[in-house]
Amino acid sequence: MYGVSSVVGIEGGYKGFYSKNTVALTPKSVNDIHKRGGTVLGTSRGGHDTAKIVDCLQDRGINQVYIIGGDGTQKGASVIYEEVRRRGLKCSVVGVPKTIDNDIAVIDKSFGFDTAVEEAQRAINAAHVEAESAENGIGVVKLMGRNSGFIAMYATLASRDVDCCLIPESPFYLEGKGGLLEFVERRLKDNGHMVIVVAEGAGQDLIARSMNFVDTQDASGNKLLLDVGLWLSQKIKDHFKKKPSFPITLKYIDPTYMIRAVRSNASDNVYCTLLAHSALHGAMAGYTGFTVAPVNGRHAYIPFYRITEKQNKVVITDRMWARVLCSTNQPCFLSHEDVENMKHDDDEHHHMHNTQLLEGGSSPVSKCNGSAAAV
């Protein structure tokens, strides 16, 4: 519709800007990519060299760049936008949110989240079948969620077979009165089986303390996580080994990459199309330095600095987490003092985000220097 003459793809994430040739993207070449999982352009960790990336945009005469990814990718896009603006280049920089973790702030949800929750059901169902089939059967399922437990939370609510959901935002403890092991024992005595869903970032402090582990990071600066699923499974087995009269059968299922690799479902396909349209129209109207996504159900252009301020996390003093606790009937593992502290943090969070977001693009989203005639 806009008469664009050339669209190119950058392969291999941020380092693809300066270490690889671009690939031509045509309506024919992208015709059926929405029917496949993964990415045709490839992805990578790290490799963000702002000066080299903007040099590439300048040298190749690119005047619109669409950067697709999660909260780390959006931070990278923000830095590129600042450098483009500093140099006075006529180039729109637009972010499109894509992460199954749903950890991008301000927006309603990110592309991929619905599909991840749907696919997680298969793993939880398998764990439930295995647990139900054995004497004192326990099914442990580890789902993605490095810092945010949205997949685990929504998958738990959707399944209704889950007896305990553990997420990074909600601390828990194993031993003693009110601990996880006591709850597992009680639930097995009552029901004869149980299913535990754990997000990959849950309980990291507990594991690190028990293993004297020192923090390390990947190429993107993310903290490397210890396998909470294996650790938790072993702790449960060790606990019941001390009780010979209480034999258990534990099955651990780790479907994390299977969930990320599937093709998107119908809901996400529709959402992806809407994101693409909004991003394109915003750039063509001359706006830059924004991420596009729905906020309270209405598609908006959100300035990068708002998106990158903090991660979206489950608020465990909120109603949605209370619904999970009602569904699973698990202990909350929190003292009254913990809850009050979290309410205080939540009040500060709401106060900080009580700002106006303008739909369709206007200040505080920047207007680009020039018209955007070719990508």
Side-chain angles (χ1 to χ4, degrees), residues 82-364:
E82 293 295 345
E83 179 62 15
V84 164
R85 190 172 69 161
R86 190 186 69 77
R87 295 191 193 184
L89 303 181
K90 296 181 179 181
C91 178
S92 285
V93 182
V94 181
V96 180
K98 176 203 64 71
T99 167
I100 65 170
D101 285 355
N102 198 37
D103 57 1
I104 299 176
V106 180
I107 70 175
D108 292 353
K109 67 174 179 179
S110 56
F111 170 67
F113 176 64
D114 275 0
T115 303
V117 171
E118 187 174 305
E119 192 65 17
Q121 300 303 296
R122 293 174 59 187
I124 294 171
N125 187 50
H128 183 244
V129 169
E130 286 290 331
E132 214 174 19
S133 303
E135 181 188 9
N136 294 323
I138 302 172
V140 177
V141 181
K142 184 179 81 170
L143 299 176
M144 280 190 166
R146 173 179 288 277
N147 300 308
S148 304
F150 286 102
I151 295 178
M153 179 171 78
Y154 276 81
T156 294
L157 282 171
S159 166
R160 305 303 297 272
D161 288 331
V162 179
D163 297 278
C164 187
C165 176
L166 303 172
I167 60 173
E169 296 89 339
S170 182
F172 66 94
Y173 57 96
L174 297 178
E175 311 283 349
K177 187 169 174 57
L180 179 63
L181 295 174
E182 182 190 74
F183 172 68
V184 169
E185 200 170 318
R186 190 171 72 246
R187 185 55 59 96
L188 288 176
K189 282 175 182 172
D190 292 345
N191 291 354
H193 66 275
M194 76 176 298
V195 174
I196 300 170
V197 166
V198 56
E200 61 180 334
Q204 289 297 311
D205 291 345
L206 275 179
I207 314 173
R209 278 203 300 274
S210 70
M211 297 174 65
N212 294 321
F213 182 75
V214 179
D215 283 356
T216 52
Q217 296 182 328
D218 65 16
S220 292
N222 296 311
K223 181 177 159 186
L224 287 175
L225 300 178
L226 296 159
D227 194 323
V228 65
L230 285 174
W231 175 82
L232 185 60
S233 299
Q234 194 56 52
K235 287 291 183 185
I236 293 171
K237 286 176 184 174
D238 291 345
H239 174 76
F240 284 99
K241 266 183 196 166
K242 300 169 194 166
K243 300 173 181 280
S245 61
F246 203 141
I248 64 159
T249 303
L250 188 146
K251 295 293 195 310
Y252 171 47
I253 297 175
D254 180 357
T256 47
Y257 292 105
M258 291 171 65
I259 286 170
R260 196 169 72 172
V262 297
R263 59 176 286 183
S264 54
N265 64 13
S267 165
D268 265 332
N269 274 343
V270 171
Y271 183 40
C272 191
T273 303
L274 298 181
L275 290 175
H277 285 190
S278 295
L280 178 62
H281 293 319
M284 286 295 181
Y287 293 104
T288 185
F290 67 91
T291 294
V292 60
V295 179
N296 295 328
R298 305 193 65 175
H299 277 259
Y301 298 148
I302 308 127
F304 280 140
Y305 72 86
R306 269 285 176 236
I307 291 287
T308 57
E309 275 176 336
K310 64 192 314 189
Q311 276 188 317
N312 188 31
K313 294 191 177 185
V314 174
V315 179
I316 62 170
T317 52
D318 221 349
R319 187 166 292 167
M320 206 58 168
W321 183 242
R323 287 170 179 144
V324 171
L325 299 181
C326 286
S327 172
T328 62
N329 205 20
Q330 70 190 62
C332 73
F333 305 111
L334 292 173
S335 67
H336 177 71
E337 189 180 336
D338 290 331
V339 172
E340 287 304 313
N341 288 339
M342 283 167 183
K343 278 184 178 171
H344 176 69
D345 291 344
D346 189 34
D347 287 343
E348 287 185 353
H349 166 79
H350 283 307
H351 176 71
M352 202 170 88
H353 283 278
N354 189 21
T355 56
Q356 187 180 23
L357 286 172
L358 302 179
E359 189 186 353
S362 180
S363 181

